[in-house]
Amino acid sequence: MTSSKTNHGRRQSPRRQNVSLEAAILGFRGDAECSTTVIDAAGDLVLEISEETWESTYRYRVSAAILADSSAYFRNLLDPDKFSEGATVRKQAIELRRCYHDTALIPDSKLPVVKISDIGHFPKANLVGAVLQQFFDILHSPLWTQTRPSAPGFALLAVVADRFSATEPISSFARRWGWNRHDLSEYKNPNKNKLEALSRQRLLTGLLLGFDHWVWTYSVNLINEGSERWSTEEPLPNVEPEALWWSLPGGLEEELQCRREYILDTISSIQTHFLTLYTSKQRQCRLGYDSSPQCDSFQLGEMIRFFTSRLRTLHLQSTILDSRREPKPYKGSLVKILQAFQACPEYQIDSNHTHCGLRTKLIPILDQLKILSHSAICLECWKKDRNEYSWLQNPTGGEWQFKIEAVFVGCCRHNGRVDDTRLNKAMYTAQSRNWTPRV
């Protein structure tokens, strides 16, 4: 059994790690003020879980053997040959068996109690009890069906599983009952903020539980739509500050923001490239008519009008004095801006000048850019070769040359989808790009 490799999920044995996840044996008598939820009627241990920010304390009667078998954290904690906690639990268990021939007859109040705090990010206090109970239920009864949790509930379940190094049994259970086959179609017409939260929750769940198709799909969603968190340093209203999905672990948050910025830079470079071409002294109209210079001037004027008036991706700024503020980064959908570029008309100065304008040159480029899955996160690549795979840590740089016949070949395949992001990285992360095709 292996635990998640994200920064959030790295685990050592409970005694040897300097974290606030605490476990202490209190003795036979538990806290009489809070009731105990029975996960296993024959359980020989009570877990008492609390946080300073919670109003309630949660107690669960569980099987020490099942916990040790399912969770690397509990396996270390309860090992009598490694830690005093495990030795104490075993000693008390022996004494209890002298008084009770069946552990099911032992009252909850007489079982050894393990106290646990700081189990992960729980911004929604009303979900704590349900998530913890479902986690322990799955470990003890992996073949029994469970109610499929909501998107935030599932994400928090994954966080708890990662916290206790028990992602494998939770992932296997979710796959067995098809929890990972549900998309966001069940949420009818979510607004932009709701859609971002759902995408983040699914992405975090996929990252921690190894659902590669969720990581692929919802990383594209976030890159495409962007996030208000990436364009402001101020705290956002109505956002759970402690929710792990609002700051994805393992460098993934920064990687997604980086990929979006590289794609926006790539799109912007297309606009800059053609404006530079048509303002240069190099003739663009290849028909050789006397009207060719006028054709170039006409195309330049229409191009500027298209970018400034229709797309609003360009604004003209005076170099003498300009009181206008610098434009803010584009916050909309990448798909929509590519579709807007695709709608560029075929401007003609007269009937003789066909295919002289921007559209003829633009469409082959857009055909290469419009598949945003080029920017998706491949979970396998992210885990195995992050330094090489990351756009943030290892950009290609240099100059990239556009070729019409270029075909991207995938580095790996997931559920029938080819991951071609390695070769696309050269285009997106180049320092400069030449969009005049070289055949």
Side-chain angles (χ1 to χ4, degrees):
M1 185 178 300
T2 59
S3 62
S4 171
K5 300 299 184 183
T6 64
N7 289 343
H8 173 71
R10 292 194 182 100
R11 294 288 175 271
Q12 299 174 352
S13 56
R15 273 294 185 194
R16 295 171 186 165
Q17 60 177 345
N18 183 23
V19 296
S20 55
L21 181 63
E22 301 172 353
I25 302 301
L26 300 182
F28 286 102
R29 188 169 300 278
D31 186 350
E33 294 183 358
C34 56
S35 61
T36 301
T37 300
V38 177
I39 303 296
D40 186 341
D44 53 358
L45 183 68
V46 170
L47 296 180
E48 185 172 295
I49 304 175
S50 63
E51 291 276 5
E52 292 182 358
T53 58
W54 297 353
E55 296 181 356
S56 303
T57 297
Y58 301 90
R59 291 166 54 92
Y60 301 93
R61 181 168 182 165
V62 294
S63 165
I66 290 177
L67 289 184
D69 184 59
S70 305
S71 160
Y73 172 81
F74 285 113
R75 182 159 56 250
N76 286 321
L77 175 66
L78 300 176
D79 189 333
D81 298 323
K82 291 183 178 180
F83 302 105
S84 60
E85 290 88 349
T88 302
V89 169
R90 181 174 66 174
K91 178 181 178 181
Q92 294 176 352
I94 293 173
E95 293 177 358
L96 284 172
R97 281 197 292 270
R98 291 174 181 171
C99 302
Y100 299 91
H101 69 278
D102 186 351
T103 55
L105 300 177
I106 303 175
D108 299 341
S109 60
K110 292 189 175 182
L111 290 172
V113 178
V114 174
K115 258 190 149 179
I116 297 175
S117 64
D118 190 7
I119 63 170
H121 296 69
F122 261 88
K124 297 179 180 293
N126 60 317
L127 293 177
V128 173
V131 170
L132 290 174
Q133 181 171 341
Q134 189 160 53
F135 172 71
F136 291 120
D137 278 339
I138 291 173
L139 296 188
H140 286 74
S141 305
L143 298 180
W144 291 7
T145 184
Q146 296 276 340
T147 301
R148 180 169 60 88
S150 63
F154 199 2
L156 291 173
L157 179 63
V159 169
V160 172
D162 181 64
R163 197 66 165 167
F164 289 122
S165 300
T167 54
E168 185 175 322
I170 300 302
S171 176
S172 297
F173 181 91
R175 293 176 191 274
R176 180 182 300 116
W177 295 104
W179 289 3
N180 62 320
R181 292 196 293 269
H182 292 267
D183 57 24
L184 298 182
S185 60
E186 61 189 281
Y187 297 92
K188 303 301 182 183
N189 301 319
N191 60 35
K192 181 178 174 63
N193 292 336
K194 179 66 173 178
L195 181 61
E196 179 183 352
L198 292 170
S199 295
R200 286 178 170 277
Q201 290 154 6
R202 285 283 198 259
L203 180 52
L204 176 63
T205 304
L207 180 69
L208 297 180
L209 299 186
F211 301 155
D212 61 337
H213 61 293
W214 275 15
V215 174
W216 179 290
T217 300
Y218 298 111
S219 64
V220 172
N221 281 10
L222 280 178
I223 292 170
N224 175 45
E225 296 294 337
S227 172
E228 285 291 332
R229 300 177 65 86
W230 298 345
S231 57
T232 179
E233 297 181 357
E234 298 296 328
L236 297 176
N238 302 321
V239 171
E240 310 94 329
E242 297 181 11
L244 187 59
W245 51 77
W246 290 112
S247 183
L248 294 163
L252 185 57
E253 182 77 29
E254 295 78 9
E255 179 72 17
L256 294 174
Q257 181 179 359
C258 172
R259 293 197 178 198
R260 178 177 171 87
E261 290 174 353
Y262 269 125
I263 295 173
L264 286 172
D265 181 65
T266 301
I267 297 172
S268 179
S269 72
I270 299 171
Q271 180 174 272
T272 302
H273 173 80
F274 287 111
L275 287 172
T276 302
L277 277 185
Y278 278 86
T279 53
S280 70
K281 296 181 180 180
Q282 182 180 359
R283 183 70 52 80
Q284 299 304 311
C285 177
R286 303 299 185 183
L287 296 182
Y289 297 145
D290 292 339
S291 58
S292 288
Q294 289 83 359
C295 177
D296 283 355
S297 297
F298 171 80
Q299 295 295 344
L300 175 61
E302 293 299 328
M303 189 188 310
I304 292 175
R305 187 171 67 169
F306 177 69
F307 289 145
T308 56
S309 300
R310 292 189 57 175
L311 295 190
R312 297 185 178 180
T313 56
L314 176 72
H315 80 275
L316 303 180
Q317 182 174 348
S318 171
T319 59
I320 302 173
L321 177 64
D322 190 357
S323 60
R324 293 180 59 180
R325 295 181 180 179
E326 287 295 320
K328 295 182 179 180
Y330 176 75
K331 296 182 180 181
S333 164
L334 297 179
V335 169
K336 290 182 179 179
I337 193 173
L338 289 174
Q339 289 173 344
F341 269 81
Q342 192 99 17
C344 177
E346 184 64 76
Y347 296 112
Q348 291 181 236
I349 191 172
D350 60 40
S351 59
N352 294 320
H353 288 265
T354 58
H355 307 296
C356 289
L358 176 64
R359 181 176 176 82
T360 300
K361 301 177 178 65
L362 193 58
I363 295 303
I365 296 173
L366 296 177
D367 287 341
Q368 188 161 304
L369 289 179
K370 65 184 179 182
I371 305 176
L372 284 181
S373 61
H374 292 171
S375 63
I377 299 294
C378 159
L379 182 58
E380 180 181 351
C381 303
W382 181 252
K383 287 184 174 181
K384 289 185 176 180
D385 195 10
R386 185 175 306 177
N387 290 337
E388 175 66 23
Y389 183 70
S390 170
W391 294 12
L392 177 62
Q393 298 180 24
N394 189 27
T396 303
E399 182 179 11
W400 181 84
Q401 173 64 53
F402 174 56
K403 296 180 181 180
I404 292 180
E405 79 280 7
V407 177
F408 293 113
V409 181
C411 66
C412 55
R413 187 177 291 269
H414 294 287
N415 295 333
R417 294 184 298 269
V418 175
D419 175 26
D420 42 22
T421 56
R422 288 180 185 266
L423 295 180
N424 277 274
K425 185 174 77 169
M427 173 181 67
Y428 287 121
T429 65
Q431 187 173 1
S432 62
R433 306 168 189 86
N434 186 352
W435 294 107
T436 299
R438 180 179 299 169
V439 180

